[in-house]
Amino acid sequence: MTFEVLGDSPLSVNIDNAVIAGWTGRDQAAVDHHIAELKAIGVAPPSAVPLFYRIGSALLTNDAAIQVVGATSSGEVEPLLLDDGKALFLGLGSDHTDRELEAHSVALSKQVCAKPVAKRLWRYEEVCGHLDEIALRSWIRDEPGTEWTPYQDGGVAKIRPLAGLIETSPFAAGPDRLQPGTAMMCGTLGVLSGGVRPARYFRMQLHDPVLGRTIEHEYESLVLPAVE
């Protein structure tokens, strides 16, 4: 995959390991809230927190559209950590998940959907000192040209410290480093209102008020028929 890095040449990296860190809320009450959201749609509580789910690396995509089977999948905004073997970077992704399958198996539900990621990255060393001030948001809508509905709104401060997730992940490679070619999504936020739900369009944002810059990505979910 190729990414833009501010102030540097494009970064091309082969993704060998893709990981989804789940149940990573820093506030246990927020974790319980998200577990309750998913329980409401039939998802069993996790066996432990956090959990690290392996997914196929080919699922990561910069495309503006993904294809999903049936109308039961939805996105969720997450910080993305990526290590190319020379440095660690912070980016933005959506752990798009099949919610119907999630009620059967969380691990399988994460494997069947593409994972959209933004094309821009920041060097981790530039932001690691103020991660808790970085905002994380998402919006949804079902028709082009209509108003976006706020879906998630919070910040990296609501997620377990990223350094701790790196250290406890299955691909840790020392302080603030992952094994070369590893991409890890680091957990999401609770939904503002209305519960977890699908939408045709998903927009997400990572905003750094300290350095005055933003990473954004928007994608469309193209629904394929669920043939029985």
Side-chain angles (χ1 to χ4, degrees), residues 54-119:
R54 294 286 304 277
I55 62 168
S57 57
L59 293 176
L60 299 181
T61 178
N62 295 134
D63 291 347
I66 63 173
Q67 293 180 316
V68 297
V69 176
T72 61
S73 66
S74 64
E76 51 186 39
V77 64
E78 308 207 0
L80 171 75
L81 291 172
L82 174 65
D83 201 311
D84 71 341
K86 298 179 180 178
L88 185 67
F89 298 88
L90 178 67
L92 177 68
S94 172
D95 176 17
H96 201 95
T97 300
D98 186 309
R99 303 302 175 185
E100 185 173 39
L101 182 57
E102 192 173 35
H104 169 69
S105 168
V106 174
L108 290 177
S109 72
K110 294 185 179 301
Q111 175 63 29
V112 300
C113 294
K115 308 298 183 188
V117 298
K119 294 182 179 180

Side-chain angles (χ1 to χ4, degrees), residues 188-224:
T188 192
L189 311 170
V191 174
L192 292 173
S193 63
V196 176
R197 58 197 186 277
R200 180 177 171 185
Y201 297 96
F202 190 85
R203 176 185 166 202
M204 54 187 173
Q205 180 188 88
L206 190 70
H207 176 65
D208 182 349
V210 176
L211 298 180
R213 56 189 184 181
T214 301
I215 297 175
E216 289 187 322
H217 186 64
E218 175 186 334
Y219 67 93
E220 179 183 4
S221 296
L222 303 174
V223 178
L224 305 176

Side-chain angles (χ1 to χ4, degrees), residues 40-184:
I41 57 174
V43 180
S47 58
V49 293
L51 287 179
F52 296 93
Y53 300 95
R54 294 286 304 277
I55 62 168
S57 57
L59 293 176
L60 299 181
T61 178
N62 295 134
D63 291 347
I66 63 173
Q67 293 180 316
V68 297
V69 176
T72 61
S73 66
S74 64
E76 51 186 39
V77 64
E78 308 207 0
L80 171 75
L81 291 172
L82 174 65
D83 201 311
D84 71 341
K86 298 179 180 178
L88 185 67
F89 298 88
L90 178 67
L92 177 68
S94 172
D95 176 17
H96 201 95
T97 300
D98 186 309
R99 303 302 175 185
E100 185 173 39
L101 182 57
E102 192 173 35
H104 169 69
S105 168
V106 174
L108 290 177
S109 72
K110 294 185 179 301
Q111 175 63 29
V112 300
C113 294
K115 308 298 183 188
V117 298
K119 294 182 179 180
R120 180 170 295 176
L121 298 171
W122 297 329
R123 290 188 174 275
Y124 184 78
E125 62 186 15
E126 297 174 352
V127 297
C128 62
H130 59 275
L131 285 170
D132 281 0
E133 298 183 58
I134 294 179
L136 198 60
R137 304 183 181 98
S138 72
W139 299 260
I140 58 174
R141 66 181 181 186
D142 288 312
E143 296 296 334
T146 59
E147 291 293 322
W148 288 97
T149 298
Y151 188 61
Q152 297 167 285
D153 192 347
V156 177
K158 292 189 175 182
I159 295 171
R160 289 172 184 254
L162 301 191
L165 291 177
I166 293 170
E167 181 181 356
T168 56
S169 79
F171 293 101
D176 291 343
R177 293 300 300 271
L178 294 166
Q179 292 179 21
T182 298
M184 181 170 72

